[in-house]
Amino acid sequence: MDGKRSTAIPGGPQSLSRRQFLCLASTWLAGAFAAAGCRARPTTSGGMATPLPPATPAPSQVYPTGQADEFGDVVTPLEKMRQWGNYYEFTRSNQAIGEAASFRMRSPWTVQVGGLVDSPGIFDLDDLRRFGEEERVYRFRCMQAWSMVIPWKGFPLHRLLRAAGPTSEARYVRFESLYDPDQMPGQDVEGANYSAWLSSAGGQAMGRPEKDNPYLWPYAEALRLDEALHDLVLLATGAHGQPLHPENGAPVRLVVPWKYAFKSIKAVARIELVAERPVTFWNHAVPAEMGWYANVNPDVANPRWKQSREMRFLGLESEPILPTLMFNGYASQVARLYEGLDLASNF
Ligand SMILES: Nc1nc2c(c(=O)[nH]1)N[C@H]1C(S)=C(S)[C@@H](COP(=O)(O)O)O[C@H]1N2
Ligand SMILES: [Mo]
């Protein structure tokens, strides 16, 4: 499996030597995460069979940076990342997320943090920068069975949550995107551009709005509080050494690398600590396809396709197909969050 997945990256004479280099470098740094990447890769079948070490990485955790993830999988070029994705406020087409490029960001952009916290607050981008800025290369896997490897820039969400101070009743964290129907045709359900927006994607789209389950704007997502406090979860403000581009969720988005990418909500405007499990955008609109947890799981198929493989976007003419890994390859860090939970029914 090890060889299969890393040599499946055709781009490159660079990939093997790069990987060896990274392994040497990371053995040197001796981070648990990095060291794991230099062992044989986890297999895709069998899921969480092996006993797992304690999961939350230490604050001093060494994450991969640069041109590859901890497995040696090389990063997706920025151009590809800007050309292909999902941004339903603007389009239902994967190929048209560039339409968000005209997005005029509210200035100053603020993220309102509130709900069940001791210290609610409104944070502008400078305030957020004070929580730190680091690069982390993560795999990013959409439920549509495509994936990228992205060098994000951001900070772990738990720093912000700890600063806000969740009260003892707080059980979930709810995230909300910007609501701006003047700029976002998908939100403007009575607007002149709505039918063009609706027909901007066919059957391979994330899912059609159903009569009984219309899209609920603004886009919202949520995590259990213990998930949200995991060190892997980022609030990202950049990628590839640049500020986030509008199409990828500028100015600030969530990144939850072990979950399907629809959990990684773009253009975050509000973060709220709550007691009850929040309704989330895709789980509400298409519950048969998009579960509330949305953990990447090769063993749980989507009604329309298997989830055991993925197309890895590297910007090549022929993109490689790779086996999908349990928890997107982050099982050793996150599986303990789900002990005792039936992952097939709680998809
Ligand atoms: N606000 C908002 N966030 C969103 C989405 C969206 O449509 N609106 N799409 C989600 C989905 S389905 C995916 S696959 C990723 C895509 O991120 P990317 O376009 O930067 O690759 O964003 C997620 N976050
Ligand atoms: Mo997605």
Side-chain angles (χ1 to χ4, degrees), residues 85-86 88 94 140-146 206 219 260-263 282 290:
N86 274 305
Y88 268 60
N94 292 122
F140 189 65
R141 208 285 196 184
C142 173
M143 56 73 72
Q144 292 169 314
W146 53 266
M206 290 288 290
Y219 196 104
Y260 291 117
F262 67 84
K263 298 295 280 188
W282 280 115
M290 281 160 284

Side-chain angles (χ1 to χ4, degrees), residues 83-86 91-97 144 146 200-201 204-205:
Q83 283 161 7
W84 181 281
N86 274 305
T91 177
R92 301 182 67 234
S93 159
N94 292 122
Q95 290 101 322
I97 59 166
Q144 292 169 314
W146 53 266
S200 63
Q204 292 302 103

Side-chain angles (χ1 to χ4, degrees), residues 120-173:
I122 294 178
F123 298 81
D124 66 20
L125 296 177
D126 286 334
D127 299 328
L128 292 181
R129 233 162 261 134
R130 285 188 205 111
F131 290 105
E133 222 167 38
E134 60 189 91
E135 185 178 75
R136 295 187 186 184
V137 178
Y138 283 165
R139 292 170 293 288
F140 189 65
R141 208 285 196 184
C142 173
M143 56 73 72
Q144 292 169 314
W146 53 266
S147 64
M148 300 187 186
V149 176
I150 299 179
W152 299 108
K153 193 178 68 185
F155 65 88
L157 174 70
H158 61 71
R159 288 194 194 142
L160 175 76
L161 295 178
R162 295 217 157 88
T167 69
S168 56
E169 293 92 70
R171 301 273 311 282
Y172 296 90
V173 186

